[in-house]
Amino acid sequence: MNVMMQSPRSPPSSQLYLSASVTDPVKLGNGVQAYISYRVVTKTNLPEYHQGPEKIVIRRYSDFVWLRDRLFEKFKGVFVPPLPEKSAVEKFRFTAEFIEMRRSALDVFVNRIALHPELQHSEDLRTFLQADEETMERFRFQETGIFKTKPADLMQMFRDVQSKVSDAVLGKDKPVEETTPEYEKLKHYIFELENHLAEAQKHAYRLVKRHRELGQSLLDFGKAVKLLGASEGEPTGKAFSDLGTKSELLSIKLQKEAQQVLMNFEEPLKDYVRYVQSIKVTIAERGTAFRQHCELAETTKLKEINLDKLMLTRSEKVGEAENEYREIKAESEEATVRFERIVKRMNEEIVRFQEEKTEEMGVAFHQFAKGQARLANGVANAWRALLPRLEAVSSSI
C-alpha cells in the first residue's frame, strides 16, 4: 500500500493518505515538574484508523520517546527517525526559540514515520496518534527498562559484561564481525557522512552567530550615530540620523536572516547528524544479530557432533542430547532469519535514506542560498540608497 504524505490541512480524497502536524506547544506545570505539551493533529483515510478522518490528541516529549523506542525494538533493521535531543541547560528549556525548534523537529519525526512504508502501519503509531492522554500515559508507564528487568535477567547481563571484560583482558579471540564488501561500504559511507554533516552544521552555527553579532553591532552603531547626529546641526545631523536609522533597519534584516538560517539550514543539518547517529545504532544492532547467528550456528554444529558420538556409543543420554540439538537448531534458524531480515531491510533503507537526504538537503541548501542572496541584495540596496545623501553632505562641507 502506497501512502502519500499530504498536508493535514488539505488531504486528497482520491488516494490513501496519512499525515500529522505537531502544533500549539504549551508549558504545563512548574519548576522541575514543568513540561511542554503539543497538539498532534492526524488526518487520514487509512482503513486501520477507526476514529474518523481527523483526530486531535495531546502529547508530551516522553510520548514521542515511547514511540521511537517501540519502533526501534520492533522493526530491527529499519532506520527509525531520530528525535530532537533534550536541552541539557535548564534555562533554555522553555525559551521560545528552543520550543519552536523542538516542535518543528517533532513534526518532522512523526511525518517521517507516517511516510515510511513499514512504520506507517505500526500499531504503536496508531496508538500514539489516536489514544487519549490517559491511555497513552498507561502505555508509557508499562514500558520495561533495565531497572524493571527481572533480577535473574539483570544477573545474566552483568555476567555477560564480566565475560566480555575478562576475554579482553586475557586476550581471547575478538567477536566475529561481518566483513562483506557491501557492509563495509555501508559503514564507511555512514561514518564519513556523519563527519561531513557535523562539520557543515558547525559552520552553519557559526554563520548564525555571526549574523546575530553583526546585527547587534549594527543596532548599537545605529543608536550611537543617531545620538551623534542629534548634537550636530543641519545637514550633517540629518545625514547621521539617516545613517543610524538605516543601520537599525539592517540590524533587523540580519536578525531575521539569522533566524531563517537557524531554522531552515542549521537545524536540518543537525537533524541529519542525529539521523546518521540513529543509523549507526541500527548498524550496531546488525552486528549483534550477526554474532548471534554465527555463535548459534557454531553451537548447533557442536551439539550435532556430540549427538553423533552418543548415538555411536548408544549412550543413555541420546534422548536428552536430541532435545538439546533440536532446541538449539531452532534457535539458530530463527537467528539466521532475524539477521537476514535485518540485512534485507537495511539494503532497502539505505536507498530510501539517500533519496530522502538528497531531496531534503537540496531544499535546505537552496533556501540557504536564496536567503543569503536576498540578504546581500537588501544590504547593498539599503547602503546604495543612502549614498546620495551622504555624498551631498560631504560635498557641502
Side-chain angles (χ1 to χ4, degrees):
M1 184 183 297
N2 182 25
V3 180
M4 298 298 292
M5 183 66 185
Q6 299 290 336
S7 166
R9 297 170 183 82
S10 56
S13 58
S14 60
Q15 60 183 182
L16 293 172
Y17 63 89
L18 172 63
S19 64
S21 58
V22 179
T23 65
D24 301 334
V26 176
K27 181 183 176 182
L28 299 174
N30 297 299
V32 294
Q33 300 298 324
Y35 65 94
I36 302 295
S37 72
Y38 307 87
R39 291 173 79 244
V40 180
V41 183
T42 303
K43 293 196 174 184
T44 183
N45 62 359
L46 291 180
E48 56 261 45
Y49 284 77
H50 307 300
Q51 298 188 23
E54 179 172 317
K55 179 71 177 179
I56 300 175
V57 295
I58 303 299
R59 294 290 178 258
R60 57 188 296 181
Y61 181 77
S62 53
D63 297 323
F64 291 85
V65 173
W66 173 87
L67 176 61
R68 189 272 315 274
D69 291 348
R70 296 280 292 184
L71 295 177
F72 182 78
E73 186 62 32
K74 290 185 178 181
F75 293 87
K76 298 296 185 183
V78 169
F79 296 166
V80 177
L83 281 170
E85 66 273 8
K86 280 195 170 185
S87 174
V89 183
E90 180 67 23
K91 67 178 181 179
F92 293 144
R93 283 180 62 204
F94 300 114
T95 62
E97 182 175 277
F98 177 79
I99 290 172
E100 173 54 23
M101 286 192 299
R102 171 172 282 187
R103 183 212 61 77
S104 177
L106 292 174
D107 189 271
V108 170
F109 167 76
V110 173
N111 280 295
R112 277 178 173 156
I113 295 170
L115 272 172
H116 194 280
E118 275 194 89
L119 301 182
Q120 63 188 197
H121 299 297
S122 161
E123 181 181 347
D124 294 312
L125 177 61
R126 290 199 298 277
T127 297
F128 176 84
L129 294 176
Q130 294 195 313
D132 59 50
E133 288 76 66
E134 185 179 337
T135 302
M136 189 70 242
E137 185 176 16
R138 188 167 63 250
F139 272 107
R140 198 171 70 243
F141 281 105
Q142 284 174 352
E143 280 300 279
T144 56
I146 183 170
F147 297 111
K148 295 182 183 179
T149 306
K150 295 177 183 178
D153 294 332
L154 273 176
M155 290 306 298
Q156 184 59 50
M157 289 170 65
F158 292 140
R159 280 196 292 269
D160 290 345
V161 171
Q162 265 191 326
S163 176
K164 289 176 182 178
V165 171
S166 299
D167 288 349
V169 172
L170 296 173
K172 293 185 178 180
D173 292 340
K174 294 181 179 179
V176 178
E177 298 289 345
E178 186 181 356
T179 57
T180 62
E182 293 80 9
Y183 183 56
E184 292 298 323
K185 182 179 178 181
L186 170 64
K187 287 198 298 183
H188 178 76
Y189 167 73
I190 291 300
F191 279 77
E192 285 290 299
L193 180 60
E194 180 184 26
N195 291 334
H196 297 325
L197 285 169
E199 187 70 12
Q201 188 266 322
K202 179 177 70 176
H203 290 293
Y205 167 79
R206 289 176 179 172
L207 186 60
V208 171
K209 184 180 178 183
R210 191 185 73 178
H211 278 350
R212 286 177 169 168
E213 289 174 346
L214 181 55
Q216 185 61 48
S217 296
L218 276 171
L219 180 63
D220 295 339
F221 172 73
K223 290 177 179 178
V225 171
K226 286 171 78 173
L227 289 173
L228 180 62
S231 65
E232 296 286 338
E234 295 293 343
T236 305
K238 179 67 166 64
F240 281 6
S241 177
D242 290 345
L243 177 60
T245 300
K246 193 66 70 175
S247 296
E248 290 174 343
L249 291 173
L250 287 175
S251 168
I252 294 172
K253 281 183 178 291
L254 278 161
Q255 295 292 358
K256 285 183 177 179
E257 185 56 33
Q259 188 64 20
Q260 290 296 315
V261 173
L262 172 66
M263 297 303 297
N264 299 328
F265 191 59
E266 184 192 351
E267 278 301 304
L269 285 170
K270 190 185 295 185
D271 172 66
Y272 263 94
V273 171
R274 293 192 295 261
Y275 212 153
V276 169
Q277 290 168 346
S278 177
I279 293 172
K280 287 171 66 178
V281 176
T282 305
I283 290 174
E285 285 285 314
R286 173 170 170 168
T288 299
F290 179 75
R291 286 190 290 275
Q292 290 174 345
H293 152 71
C294 293
E295 289 167 3
L296 283 168
E298 183 65 24
T299 303
T300 302
K301 288 180 183 177
L302 294 175
K303 292 287 185 183
E304 184 178 17
I305 292 171
N306 182 57
L307 177 60
D308 289 342
K309 289 180 179 178
L310 292 173
M311 292 178 70
L312 285 173
T313 59
R314 297 182 180 181
S315 170
E316 59 184 19
K317 295 182 179 180
V318 168
E320 181 183 345
E322 283 180 334
N323 289 334
E324 290 180 358
Y325 172 69
R326 279 196 296 269
E327 288 176 5
I328 199 67
K329 185 179 180 183
E331 283 186 46
S332 177
E333 290 171 349
E334 185 180 329
T336 301
V337 170
R338 185 164 57 246
F339 171 68
E340 290 174 348
R341 186 188 303 121
I342 289 175
V343 172
K344 181 177 183 296
R345 274 177 169 166
M346 289 186 70
N347 289 341
E348 296 168 351
E349 286 291 279
I350 194 63
V351 173
R352 190 185 59 80
F353 169 77
Q354 288 175 321
E355 291 174 350
E356 185 179 290
K357 174 181 63 69
T358 298
E359 180 180 354
E360 293 185 0
M361 285 293 96
V363 171
F365 276 92
H366 182 238
Q367 290 297 322
F368 170 73
K370 278 177 61 179
Q372 293 302 294
R374 183 174 59 247
L375 177 64
N377 288 333
V379 170
N381 290 336
W383 291 128
R384 192 177 294 114
L386 190 61
L387 281 177
R389 277 175 278 176
L390 294 177
E391 288 171 354
V393 171
S394 178
S395 60
S396 66
I397 295 175

